[in-house]
Every structure is written in C-alpha cells, then in structure tokens.
Amino acid sequence: MRITGDQALVKKLNKSIVLDTIRRKGPLSRTDVSEKTGLNKATVSNLTLELIEQNLVEETGLGESSGGRKPLMLLFNGSAGCVIGVELSVTRVKAILTDLKGTILQEHVLPLGQLDEDAVFEVIGKVIQPLIDAAPQTTHGIVGIGIGVPGMVDESGLILYAPNLNWEGVDLKSRIEEKYNVPVVIDNEANAGAAGEREYGAGRHVRHLVYVSAGMGIGSGMIIDGQLYKGAWGYAGETGHMSIESDGRLCSCGNQGCWELYASERAYSYTSLPALTTAERVEQAKVGDASTLEMYEEIGRRLGIGVTNLVNGFNPQKIVVGGPLTEAKAWIEPKMLATIAKRALPYHRRELSISFSELGSRSAVLGAAHLAVAQFLGRVRVSV
Amino acid sequence: MRITGDQALVKKLNKSIVLDTIRRKGPLSRTDVSEKTGLNKATVSNLTLELIEQNLVEETGLGESSGGRKPLMLLFNGSAGCVIGVELSVTRVKAILTDLKGTILQEHVLPLGQLDEDAVFEVIGKVIQPLIDAAPQTTHGIVGIGIGVPGMVDESGLILYAPNLNWEGVDLKSRIEEKYNVPVVIDNEANAGAAGEREYGAGRHVRHLVYVSAGMGIGSGMIIDGQLYKGAWGYAGETGHMSIESDGRLCSCGNQGCWELYASERAYSYTSLPALTTAERVEQAKVGDASTLEMYEEIGRRLGIGVTNLVNGFNPQKIVVGGPLTEAKAWIEPKMLATIAKRALPYHRRELSISFSELGSRSAVLGAAHLAVAQFLGRVRVSV
DNA sequence: AGAGTTATTATAGGTTTTTATTTTGAAAGT
DNA sequence: ACTTTCAAAATAAAAACCTATAATAACTCT
C-alpha cells in the first residue's frame, strides 16, 4: 500500500515547500515565497500563518520596497525546538544539543569502556541527560534524537551489524525512544556525516554528494537527489571494501585488496613503522619524517584511486572527504587531487568539486542532529 | 520552482497508482484495487472509469466470488497504443515495434556504414519507417520512440559524448522528434538494458537493481527505488572505468586497471591468442580449447571482483549481467559466482540475487521501448 | 424464498487550492 | 495636506477532488 493523494497530502507537501523555502532562502516576503515556489499568494499566506502559529516562522520586520507597501520579511525560527545528536564510536560517545538550525548549544563527551549493549546504553544516557537538562524552554521542546553508529543500519533503524562493537541486530532505537519518549533516528556514521556536511558543511546546496569517511576504515554516505541512499536493505556505502587491487592484501571481510587497507588508518599497519595513531603520525609528518611523508603520499594516491572509482560510477556533483584521517589532510591532499585529476573520466571531472570536511570531527554529530530535525520538520517530495 | 500540490496533482498521482496497480497485478476488481492501494472504493471507481474511457483499462468479465456479487475484473489494455524501441550500436541499428505491454510486434535491423550524425540519422529513419507503417490502428497510435545509445546522455536527452561513434553534443532527440512528431526518450545503452530487464526480464519486481552490460566495454545501469539513477549530470554508470588494479593496464580513458580491460571483450586483446570475436571464441571454448577456457575463467573471476565492488558499495537487491559477452556465459558464470560468494560482504550477499540477462540481445531495445511507454503513462511518485 | 455477502455506484460533506476582490501601507505628486 | 499610485497581504467565493456513508445490484447459501 503506497502513499496516495488527498488534500492532507497536498497541504503537507505545500507547507513543507513553504517552510523549506523560508528556511533555505529566507528572509523572504510572502510574495517572494509565492514567486519562488509557484504557489498562489493566498496559499502562501495561509500556510505561513500556520507556520507562525507553530512558531516555526517569524516575521522579522519590514524589508525594502520597490515602490509600494513594504514587505513583511519571514524567517525560519530555529529556536522553536531542540534536538540531540549523538555519535557513537568504539572509544567514546559524543553528543550535542542544537537548535533547529544546527546551532550547537552544548556538547558532552564520555569515554566508552565496555562495549556490550547495556553498558553502551548506560553511557549514552549519561551523555545525553545533562544535555536534556540544559535544553532551553522552547515551544516544541526536544523534538528528536539522532544517532550515528559505526555499523550497518536498516531502514527501520535496527542496527544489523556493527563489527567494531561486536553488535548484531541491536534495537537501540526502541530502547532510547522508550526511555526518553522522543522520536529517535539511527543511521550509519558515514551517512550521518554525509547529512551533516550536506546540511551545514562543505555540501550545502549540493544534490548529489558522496561523503567519504576515512578513519579506522572507510565508509561512504551517498546523497542522491538530496536524499540519503541506503540501498536495498540499508547496507549501501561500504565502499571501504571495494577492491582496488584484485590480488592484493587479504581483508578481514573475506575480500582482497580492499580500498580501506590502502587508504585508511588500517594502512598504517602495513608499513615498517611502528603502528601509531594518526595524531602521532601527524607529529612525525610535521617534523618531516621521510617514511611518514612517503606513506601519506601513498595513502593520498590510493584515496584518489578509490574516489575516482566512485566518481566514474556515481557521477556525483561533489565529493567530501572527512573522518579522523583528514587530520593529515596537508600531506594527503596534493597527491589525492592529482590522482583524481589524472584518472577520472573527463566529463565526470569537469563539473566535479572535491573538498575536505568543513565540520571536521563534528560532521557525524551534526548530521545525526540534522536527521532528527529533518524528521521533525517532515519533508514531502514528489517527482513526475 | 518545484512541483507543488493541488488537486490536479492528487488526481494524477492516484490515477497513476490505479493504472500501475492494474498493470502490474491485474486482473483485479475495483475492490481489489481499493484494498491494495488504500484508495477509497469510490475514488477507484471514478479513476477506473476515466482509464476505461482512455482505453487503457478494460473490463474482461466476471471473476470468482466468495459468497456475494461477482467482481468485474479489470486488465491493463496493452493494445491501446504502440511504441518504437531503438538500439543504436556501432555496427547496426536495431528497432522494434511493441505494444504498451512490451509485446514485440515487429523487428527490423540495418547495418551502419558511416558513423557521422547525418548518416546515422538516415539509417535510423530507414529502420523505423517500416515499423511505423506496420503499426496497427490503435486508440493512441504511436505514443513514443525510445532510443538506447552507446554513450553518455544527460537528463535532457542530449548525447554528450559517445566515444565509439565519435559524437559529442548531438541532439538526436530533437531531430527525431521534429521528423516524426512524437515524444522521444534517449538514454544510455546500459540504462536502457537495465530498464528492459527490470520491466520485462530478470529484474521484474525488483526495486534496487544493477544491470551490468559487458561487451566491448562495461557499462552499468542502476535502478534505485524503481528509478534509473543518472547521477548529477547523467553520466552515472561508467563502472567499466572503475579501477580494480591500481597499477594495472593503461586504459584509453587515462585511468589504470579499469575493470573493462579485464572483464569485457577488451580483455581478448591482452591474451596471446589472435584477437577474435566472442562468437569465434565461443566456438573455441565449445571444442575445449584450453587457453580460451582459461581466459574465460579469468574473465569470470574479474567480473566477479567488479560485481563485488558494486554489491558492497550499492547494496542492490539484484545484479543482472547482460551484453554480448554473455554469449560465453557457460564458461564465465561458475568462476564469477564463486568469486562473488567468496568476496562480497556477508550481509550484502545474504539476500542478493545474481542472474544473467533474460532478454539476451533484446534487453536494450525492449528497455528503450519501455522508456517510451513509461513516459507516455506518466508515473507520479511521492515520498514522505 | 430469504438472509447474508460482496461489488459497484450515488450522494453529501469536507478540505484545499485558485481566482478575484478588498484592505492595508508607504511613497510620490499636486 | 490630500489624493493618487503601486505593491503586499488578507479575505471571500468558487472549483476540484477525496472520503464516508448509504443505496443499489448481483450473487451464494441454507
């Protein structure tokens, strides 16, 4: 049974168009909104009224006139509610409290000891609670919690498999929803990062975006036509296990020559250098250690090779590279860009833009927060 | 200015839902349609009436009752119109005339001599004209022409680049539309093939499908959530130029280790055997020529490696392999499947199905024809 | 033959957009 | 100072479509 059309749908659609337009392009007058959206002025007036009643939009005062009555400018009111964004990694739980515009109001981090479900659940609670307590009094209160996790998440939010946590089939969503009585969205860390960069970072206004998160492994979040692509069962984006060397290194996944063995922190263990963290390696790079520089150059090259594969296959508008590895950006970037420039198909490359994360280590938390905002604001989309 | 909601949209949406339901699951009664779609019975009745007036649906008689009035069964009337599907390759132009259900009514092929735009245009005309003349008298007549071409096509139907034809920026669509005064859809050969297999072949009822077309090169058509994914500018699917060997063979595209150098007919030229066509190679394989068998085994392995990459990155529901190379299916398949079974991520593999083209050399023409049908029937889609 | 089921159609009611009209507000001209 | 002019926003009436409910039609079973 699919979504059918009725007046309620029409109104929901138009209302979400009006809100979205004001949110992205405001301040605008009602007439501006009408012109930009194609909706009738009367319709915009009605819907705006409701949005103002919901406190999601506010009139900020008079704008400039071009010869008649001055327009009343409308602005999205990000302060009408709050959300919490959580990033769950293997070592720690990071959470932020933001308003509906993504302004970070408060941040809180705790280390993670044991990784069993109950222990993690408890830590999440300890990280979140202070944020909930600190949330300002707003019209809608805390409207949702978004969580990014290092693993595969299906469409319903069930964590199917998180190898690094040793989790399989964990329904964190329901547990948190029950405890806090607030809608919860759970997604993969890379998907959350992609959402974050697309909404608040390097991918603003981009419709087709691939976010590559390089850390202990590589994962990708793909935004297609403005929407996260999750594949048939929610496991899309495991590009770290794309083979770029048919008979290359053996990976724990069973495949050979996986991209992440050459282009993530996992590549460290294949060098003769003692396995260090990225922070330590970066120190070595800063003092000009030759073998470290060489290693980062090779990582850059391999990153470029993998990104080229994504570019040729996907034809995205933009590639954003993020994740812990990007601390070493300075030593990785030149070779990566050169490799892509040399290898990617000319037409694909022509209008492609490549950049590094703008939100740094906050891509995923901000993205998780945004997923919750997006669910609250409720976007309707139609294609003909 | 995006699509806004009004009653016309609602009606269009619901009508397309009703038609689609009858088309895919018919014969059904009005009540069945109401239950399956969630639309009110009265609404279904109204819309069905209009569809019957348009001759797109017909009442086929009474069905079985389970204790009350017998239902009037409804069926999609594929004979209400015709379309023409064209496959343009480097050596020939193939075209078919089908009804709206994809039944092939007539077929016509002509070889291609010169490859300049005018010459090709003329041959297309010669192939199409007899089909147009042969088209039966129907309510809607010839409702569209769909064309699959070996190159990249943007969203507007402009052929941006077709290396094998040496074309760049050719607006075949407008020329044919002007001449025949009928809507024309143009897409990449792999995309057409994907559409064909999804509608009439191995991918029926599949929402997330990747079609891999292996011939002189490799191209992929990706169907995401039932819709062809074209990327930011229409060039998605050039997976043949995904590198599976970072420092491998040099490709004409500028990249190294491109998949198609190892897993398409282009691999032939890297063997010590004289470069033969697939037809000839298959003959050799049939008589058990050792080096040919070995070669096909290697091609199978490499195909498997590339397919694994697509599976891990995309998480499709189904992979369909087609194209001229699949004439050698018997010698390729075992190794390909074994490679995928060994290399693909367990969760991705679990519910994945892999098969070869069911439509054989007709995937692309049938797909092209279907693209025209789909445009005529006009599908509206909503997501919340 | 009559009661119970199921399919389809008819009618009325409600919601929403659109079109047309009116009101409000500000600047410019007389 | 008052009117005119232009544009923004609000209001009122009209049209379109879906839903709910009821009515009718057709059939099965006892």
Side-chain angles (χ1 to χ4, degrees):
Chain A
M1 203 156 98
R2 50 189 127 180
I3 299 159
T4 57
D6 61 5
Q7 286 89 331
L9 180 84
V10 169
K11 185 165 190 183
K12 208 165 152 187
L13 167 64
N14 290 342
K15 200 164 168 182
S16 95
I17 290 175
V18 170
L19 179 57
D20 213 62
T21 307
I22 295 172
R23 203 160 68 87
R24 299 208 124 85
K25 299 176 186 162
L28 296 171
S29 70
R30 289 165 173 81
T31 306
D32 292 337
V33 174
S34 165
E35 277 165 11
K36 279 199 195 303
T37 59
L39 287 164
N40 190 281
K41 286 189 281 186
T43 309
V44 173
S45 250
N46 276 327
L47 296 173
T48 304
L49 184 67
E50 288 187 26
L51 289 169
I52 289 174
E53 276 166 4
Q54 287 178 275
N55 205 9
L56 291 172
V57 165
E58 47 183 10
E59 295 176 333
T60 55
L62 298 174
E64 273 314 292
S65 157
S66 53
R69 173 173 168 182
K70 285 188 175 173
L72 261 165
M73 304 314 275
L74 303 169
L75 208 57
F76 175 61
N77 176 17
S79 315
C82 294
V83 294
I84 288 172
V86 181
E87 183 189 359
L88 174 59
S89 72
V90 182
T91 54
R92 59 194 170 78
V93 178
K94 173 152 68 169
I96 54 174
L97 174 74
T98 78
D99 66 12
L100 301 179
K101 281 196 309 234
T103 316
I104 298 178
L105 305 174
Q106 194 137 0
E107 187 162 8
H108 195 199
V109 190
L110 281 179
L112 213 48
Q114 291 159 292
L115 294 179
D116 61 294
E117 200 187 323
D118 291 333
V120 171
F121 182 67
E122 207 185 309
V123 176
I124 292 178
K126 282 188 183 149
V127 178
I128 285 181
Q129 196 57 55
L131 299 181
I132 293 179
D133 299 337
Q137 210 53 36
T138 56
T139 315
H140 299 277
I142 292 177
V143 301
I145 299 175
I147 307 179
V149 299
M152 304 178 206
V153 180
D154 77 4
E155 286 180 336
S156 74
L158 180 72
I159 302 170
L160 292 158
Y161 182 52
N164 299 330
L165 298 172
N166 202 22
W167 282 10
E168 211 158 336
V170 173
D171 191 5
L172 189 63
K173 179 177 145 91
S174 302
R175 284 187 75 168
I176 297 193
E177 265 176 354
E178 272 164 34
K179 180 160 176 190
Y180 297 100
N181 215 30
V182 154
V184 172
V185 203
I186 299 200
D187 211 328
N188 177 289
E189 178 266 328
N191 282 346
E197 290 293 337
R198 140 112 174 139
E199 196 61 30
Y200 306 121
R204 267 163 297 180
H205 314 301
V206 173
R207 278 165 39 117
H208 301 271
L209 170 81
V210 175
Y211 172 76
V212 176
S213 168
M216 276 300 288
I218 295 182
S220 299
M222 316 187 208
I223 291 177
I224 289 177
D225 211 8
Q227 276 198 305
L228 273 170
Y229 172 63
K230 313 202 51 153
W233 296 285
Y235 325 146
E238 291 292 327
T239 52
H241 296 287
M242 157 177 79
S243 175
I244 58 165
E245 203 72 81
S246 293
D247 301 295
R249 297 169 186 165
L250 275 168
C251 182
S252 54
C253 76
N255 201 350
Q256 274 183 272
C258 288
W259 187 24
E260 65 179 40
L261 301 180
Y262 300 87
S264 77
E265 289 173 339
R266 285 181 75 174
Y268 293 168
S269 52
Y270 292 91
T271 60
S272 55
L273 308 164
L276 303 169
T277 64
T278 294
E280 289 164 325
R281 295 264 176 173
V282 163
E283 286 311 311
Q284 301 217 317
K286 276 182 183 162
V287 298
D289 177 67
S291 51
T292 299
L293 295 179
E294 195 184 317
M295 182 200 71
Y296 273 135
E297 203 165 83
E298 173 66 2
I299 287 181
R301 188 178 79 96
R302 298 286 195 165
L303 261 178
I305 289 170
V307 167
T308 299
N309 284 355
L310 297 179
V311 168
N312 288 352
F314 259 104
N315 181 219
Q317 215 172 332
K318 180 153 198 162
I319 295 265
V320 178
V321 182
L325 185 66
T326 53
E327 276 181 60
K329 169 183 168 181
W331 300 277
I332 291 173
E333 186 171 21
K335 193 75 182 181
M336 185 188 93
L337 294 180
T339 305
I340 297 168
K342 186 171 157 236
R343 289 185 167 232
L345 290 167
Y347 271 87
H348 293 62
R349 202 190 327 138
R350 190 177 289 179
E351 302 180 73
L352 172 72
S353 106
I354 298 172
S355 57
F356 277 76
S357 159
E358 271 183 23
L359 308 174
S361 62
R362 288 211 182 102
S363 307
V365 249
L366 270 167
H370 175 69
L371 292 176
V373 172
Q375 177 166 290
F376 171 65
L377 297 180
R379 183 98 166 269
V380 183
R381 298 162 53 89
V382 179
S383 64
V384 180
Chain B
M1 202 156 97
R2 50 188 127 181
I3 299 160
T4 57
D6 60 4
Q7 287 89 333
L9 181 84
V10 169
K11 186 166 188 181
K12 209 165 152 188
L13 167 64
N14 288 342
K15 200 165 168 181
S16 95
I17 290 175
V18 170
L19 179 57
D20 214 62
T21 306
I22 295 173
R23 202 160 69 85
R24 298 208 124 86
K25 300 177 186 163
L28 296 170
S29 71
R30 287 165 174 80
T31 307
D32 292 336
V33 175
S34 165
E35 277 165 10
K36 278 198 196 302
T37 59
L39 286 165
N40 189 281
K41 287 187 282 184
T43 308
V44 172
S45 248
N46 277 326
L47 296 174
T48 304
L49 184 68
E50 287 186 28
L51 289 169
I52 289 173
E53 275 166 5
Q54 289 178 275
N55 205 11
L56 291 173
V57 165
E58 46 184 11
E59 294 176 334
T60 55
L62 298 174
E64 275 312 293
S65 155
S66 53
R69 172 173 167 181
K70 284 187 177 172
L72 259 166
M73 303 315 275
L74 303 169
L75 208 57
F76 175 61
N77 177 17
S79 314
C82 292
V83 294
I84 287 172
V86 181
E87 184 188 359
L88 174 60
S89 72
V90 182
T91 54
R92 60 194 170 78
V93 178
K94 174 152 68 168
I96 54 174
L97 173 75
T98 78
D99 65 13
L100 301 179
K101 281 195 310 234
T103 317
I104 298 178
L105 306 174
Q106 195 137 0
E107 187 163 9
H108 194 198
V109 190
L110 281 179
L112 211 50
Q114 291 159 291
L115 294 179
D116 62 292
E117 201 187 322
D118 291 333
V120 171
F121 182 67
E122 206 185 308
V123 176
I124 292 177
K126 284 189 181 150
V127 178
I128 286 181
Q129 196 58 56
L131 299 180
I132 293 178
D133 299 337
Q137 208 54 38
T138 56
T139 315
H140 299 278
I142 292 177
V143 299
I145 299 176
I147 307 179
V149 299
M152 302 178 207
V153 181
D154 77 5
E155 286 179 336
S156 76
L158 180 71
I159 301 170
L160 291 158
Y161 181 51
N164 299 328
L165 299 172
N166 203 21
W167 281 10
E168 210 158 336
V170 173
D171 192 6
L172 189 63
K173 179 177 145 92
S174 301
R175 284 188 74 167
I176 297 194
E177 265 176 353
E178 272 163 34
K179 181 160 176 189
Y180 297 100
N181 213 29
V182 154
V184 172
V185 203
I186 299 199
D187 211 327
N188 176 289
E189 179 266 329
N191 282 347
E197 290 292 338
R198 139 110 175 142
E199 196 62 30
Y200 307 121
R204 267 164 296 180
H205 314 300
V206 172
R207 277 165 40 118
H208 301 271
L209 170 80
V210 175
Y211 173 76
V212 176
S213 168
M216 276 299 288
I218 296 181
S220 299
M222 316 186 208
I223 291 178
I224 289 175
D225 211 8
Q227 276 198 306
L228 272 170
Y229 172 62
K230 314 202 52 153
W233 297 285
Y235 326 147
E238 292 291 327
T239 52
H241 296 287
M242 157 176 78
S243 175
I244 59 164
E245 203 72 81
S246 294
D247 301 296
R249 298 170 186 166
L250 275 168
C251 183
S252 53
C253 75
N255 202 349
Q256 274 183 272
C258 286
W259 187 24
E260 64 179 40
L261 300 180
Y262 299 87
S264 77
E265 289 171 341
R266 286 182 73 175
Y268 294 169
S269 52
Y270 291 91
T271 61
S272 54
L273 309 163
L276 303 169
T277 64
T278 294
E280 289 163 325
R281 295 266 177 173
V282 163
E283 287 310 311
Q284 301 216 316
K286 276 183 184 162
V287 298
D289 177 66
S291 52
T292 299
L293 295 179
E294 196 184 315
M295 182 200 70
Y296 274 135
E297 203 165 84
E298 174 65 1
I299 287 181
R301 187 178 78 96
R302 298 287 195 164
L303 261 178
I305 289 170
V307 166
T308 299
N309 284 355
L310 296 180
V311 169
N312 288 353
F314 259 105
N315 182 220
Q317 215 172 333
K318 181 153 198 163
I319 296 266
V320 178
V321 182
L325 185 67
T326 53
E327 276 182 58
K329 169 183 168 180
W331 300 278
I332 291 173
E333 187 172 20
K335 193 75 184 180
M336 185 188 93
L337 294 180
T339 305
I340 297 168
K342 185 171 157 236
R343 289 184 169 235
L345 289 167
Y347 271 88
H348 293 62
R349 201 190 329 137
R350 190 176 288 179
E351 302 180 74
L352 172 72
S353 107
I354 298 172
S355 57
F356 278 76
S357 160
E358 270 182 24
L359 308 173
S361 61
R362 288 210 182 100
S363 307
V365 250
L366 270 167
H370 175 69
L371 292 176
V373 172
Q375 178 166 290
F376 171 65
L377 297 180
R379 185 99 165 268
V380 183
R381 298 162 54 89
V382 180
S383 63
V384 181

